[in-house]
Every structure is written in C-alpha cells, then in structure tokens.
Amino acid sequence: MGQREKNLRVLGIETSCDETGVAVYDEHLGLLAHALYSQVQLHAAFGGVVPELASRDHVRKLIPLVKQVLADAGTRPEQLGGVAYTAGPGLIGALLVGACVGRSLAWAWGVPAVGVHHMEGHLLAPMLEDPAPVFPFIALLVSGGHSMLVEVRGLGRYRILGETLDDAAGEAFDKTAKVLGLGYPGGPALARLAASGRPGRLRLPRPMLNRPGLDFSFSGLKTAVITGIRDLELDEQAKADVAWEFQEAIVDTLVAKSLRAVSETGIQRLVVAGGVGANRRLRARLADAAQAAGAEVFYPRLEFCTDNGAMIAYAGMLRLAAGEAAASSIEARARWDLETLRPPRGGGAAPTGPGPAD
Ligand code: KG4
Ligand code: ZN
C-alpha cells in the first residue's frame, strides 16, 4: 500500500458452474456493486447442471452483466485497477467463458488480470462482512462440489485439515432430495421441508463421527435414506420427518468436526462458507456449539454463501494489492488443489480494507 496513487478497484467475474456473478470491489470503499444471474431454471428440467448449456448461457449473460454492474458501481473502465476471474476448479467450458472475457477486458483496458481459485473466493467471503474475521481462522467449506475444513493462516496459506472421502455435503443434500422427489435444486428444497419435520421417524448413521480425524463421508447417508424409506408410507409429513433426520445427521457431523478442528488447532475463529453454509439449522447449531466452546463463528450473508462475483472480486483485489504478478495467459483448470496456492509476492498480509460499503 502507500505507493499506489489511487484506490485499487477490481472487477470480479465468476462463471465456474451455473451462476454468472459479477462485482466491483474497491480496496478502501468496499463492495460497490454486485449482480448474479442464476441459470437454475435452465437446468431444472434436466435435474442437474448441463455443462454445455451452462457455458452457452454464460456467453449470453456475462457481458450485459459486466455493463450493468459497472454502471451500478458508478465505475468507468479507466477507474479499474484489475480484473479477477474464477480460473478453477469448475466446469471447464463455463470457466473458459469467464477467463476469456476477463482476460480480454483486462487487456483492452490495460490492467492486470488475476485468475482466482473458486474455493479461495468462498473461504474469504466472510471477510466481506462487518465484523470480518481476522487471520488465522478455521474455514468450514461446504458446497455442492467440496466439503473441507481448512486452516487459513493468511492469504494463500491454506492447510486442509479434513475433507470428504466421497460425496460433498451439498451433493448429499441434492441426491437425497432427488430420492424424496423434491426436484432441483434439492438442497434448499430439502432444508425447507425439514423445517416442518419431526424427529424420530428414522434412525440414520453419523458417518465418521466416532473415528479420529477431521474427514467426512456422506454417501452412506443417501443409501441409509433409500433403505430407511422402503417401509414408510411417504406422505408429506413422513417426507418432512425424513428430511429433518437427514439434515440433522449432516449437521451433527459438520458441527462436531468443526469444533474438533477448533480444539485441535487452538484457533478460536471459525468461518463457514459455500452453499450449504446457507443452511439455517447448521448456522443455529454451530452458533450454539461455538458459544459453548468459547469460539466465534463468522458467515457471509446468505447470497455470498453460494456462488457469487463479490468473493472473486475481493480475493482478486487482495492478491493484486499484495503484489501478485498477473498472468498474461488465459487460465482455466477444471481441477485445482487449494493447498497448491501460495501467498502473493507481497507476502499475503491481512487486508487493510474497510469492510462492507453498505
Ligand atoms: O457453493 P455453491 O453455490 O456451489 C458450488 O460451488 O458447489 O453450493 C451449492 C450447493 C448445492 O449442493 C445446494 O443444494 C447446497 O449448496 N445448498 C444447500 C442450501 N442452500 C444451498 N444445502 C442445504 N441447505 C441449504 N439451505
Ligand atoms: Zn461454489
């Protein structure tokens, strides 16, 4: 900091899956604007994301969304100091749309472009809020593609403490929702149904809970639900009861392992991110458990739990502010191990940003 004449303002682009997200983040003024175009309706008929349709829709929506967000942010291209786009992991065609557009805009505007790791975006998203957690913290990342506990010591300093051995938590929600005939996307629908569920209809296992370590396993739960509902008359109340039991089994495991990570590392700050972080039951149970353990829990607002452009603009801003050298190539990787990330050249110090603009 200090050497630059003006605020670093970054345009962020997220296209790793089925949401087109765009945002503008200013290092001193915070988040200036963000918008999301969700393709959920497009994929609903197929019961899941169709990669080629996702790519084509990003092509249609991305440029109009960039124009809209720049206007909402009151920002002209010449006020931007960089462009950040999601470079992976994700659907390769979808990623390429954001990467090509992001890199090209940056080239046309004469600013650096930085390829951001999607999960780095998720785990830094709670820092968009006020109060923001400070490093170090434990991050519980639970999305449709990932479930992991990460020790975060600074920007680009990530150690995976535990992860799922099979399905991600969101994937388990989605698959079980399908079993219950809840349509797509299943996770939020199952959570809504669970709200009117009553305990005791079905006994489900708590996979990996009694084993040492911080790994998860969720695929057995779906199988246990399929077996468990065979002899049930599945009326609406029974479905809600099964949804409740399923949600409780996942939440029990996530809460216990998160608190185990806190006690094993001695780091008393826990951040929760990723789509499943929007689950209200998980939030309530984690808040209670953390309070009992003397730990603090931080969440992004609900819309920043799921995929969004704000987290990418923010992560990109931190990396550029810390001196990350921008690549001249278009970066897109379907697979990308979070632990291979490194602090930017500047050292990955804690941000000096202001917190949210609103
Ligand atoms: O982070 P995200 O938007 O996309 C990925 O990067 O995967 O997460 C989407 C996942 C989906 O599996 C969705 O069903 C799940 O998050 N999800 C939820 C809830 N809201 C979204 N799962 C449980 N309860 C919710 N309220
Ligand atoms: Zn995500």
Side-chain angles (χ1 to χ4, degrees):
M1 313 266 150
Q3 307 97 315
R4 286 195 308 272
E5 285 165 22
K6 53 181 189 173
N7 294 356
L8 177 59
R9 194 174 285 193
V10 173
L11 174 75
I13 294 174
E14 155 63 35
T15 64
S16 68
C17 191
D18 60 343
E19 324 268 7
T20 318
V22 177
V24 173
Y25 193 94
D26 182 288
E27 71 175 323
H28 294 311
L29 302 175
L31 185 63
L32 297 184
H34 66 99
L36 188 80
Y37 174 77
S38 173
Q39 305 177 353
V40 159
Q41 293 311 321
L42 178 70
H43 302 288
F46 302 92
V49 178
V50 183
E52 182 58 23
L53 293 184
S55 314
R56 290 183 204 179
D57 223 40
H58 288 308
V59 169
R60 263 193 294 272
K61 291 293 189 259
L62 184 51
I63 301 269
L65 216 53
V66 167
K67 281 189 182 160
Q68 177 198 321
V69 168
L70 285 177
D72 290 350
T75 296
R76 296 182 309 281
E78 54 272 27
Q79 292 173 283
L80 289 171
V83 176
Y85 62 85
T86 305
L91 301 172
I92 194 65
L95 287 166
L96 273 167
V97 177
C100 289
V101 169
R103 191 72 202 77
S104 307
L105 288 175
W107 182 77
W109 293 335
V111 295
V114 57
V116 170
H117 193 293
H118 181 76
M119 301 311 285
E120 177 171 81
H122 273 307
L123 67 82
L124 298 177
M127 298 175 82
L128 289 161
E129 307 301 346
D130 187 16
V134 292
F135 300 129
F137 54 75
I138 300 296
L140 171 67
L141 289 183
V142 271
S143 70
H146 300 264
S147 293
M148 51 173 86
L149 278 160
V150 187
E151 180 184 319
V152 180
R153 296 233 157 242
L155 182 64
R157 297 176 63 200
Y158 311 128
R159 185 162 71 96
I160 296 177
L161 302 171
E163 57 192 324
T164 182
L165 304 180
D166 39 58
D167 289 353
E171 193 179 359
F173 264 95
D174 295 338
K175 287 180 175 173
T176 304
K178 219 171 201 171
V179 168
L180 293 175
L182 298 182
Y184 172 87
L190 192 149
R192 267 194 306 279
L193 188 61
S196 53
R198 292 175 309 215
R201 175 89 61 166
L202 193 68
R203 279 175 71 87
L204 292 176
R206 302 291 185 266
M208 311 283 293
L209 202 55
N210 295 323
R211 294 213 216 143
L214 296 168
D215 286 334
F216 308 105
S217 164
F218 295 118
S219 70
L221 269 178
K222 180 199 65 184
T223 317
V225 168
I226 293 174
T227 317
I229 60 176
R230 252 181 222 149
D231 304 324
L232 287 182
E233 176 103 22
L234 263 196
D235 57 20
E236 274 314 297
Q237 187 58 50
K239 272 192 195 177
D241 297 348
V242 173
W244 163 269
E245 291 296 344
F246 170 81
Q247 179 173 264
E248 219 51 18
I250 295 237
V251 168
D252 274 350
T253 312
L254 293 176
V255 169
K257 298 265 167 163
S258 300
L259 269 294
R260 201 180 285 178
V262 164
S263 97
E264 282 182 12
T265 57
I267 296 173
Q268 294 289 93
R269 277 179 297 276
L270 177 68
V271 317
V272 184
V276 183
N279 187 280
R280 290 178 195 279
R281 181 71 181 155
L282 175 65
R283 287 178 171 237
R285 291 275 313 278
L286 266 179
D288 290 347
Q291 198 185 21
E296 279 179 289
V297 194
F298 298 85
Y299 300 96
R301 68 196 84 165
L302 290 179
E303 62 188 319
F304 293 164
C305 272
T306 46
D307 292 348
N308 64 85
M311 66 184 192
I312 302 303
Y314 181 66
M317 183 283 295
L318 289 185
R319 285 195 163 271
L320 287 169
E324 174 134 328
S328 54
S329 57
I330 291 168
E331 296 178 89
R333 307 174 194 187
R335 291 176 172 277
W336 189 3
D337 181 355
L338 184 68
E339 277 184 321
T340 63
L341 296 191
R342 293 288 170 262
R345 200 160 22 94
T352 55
D358 46 354

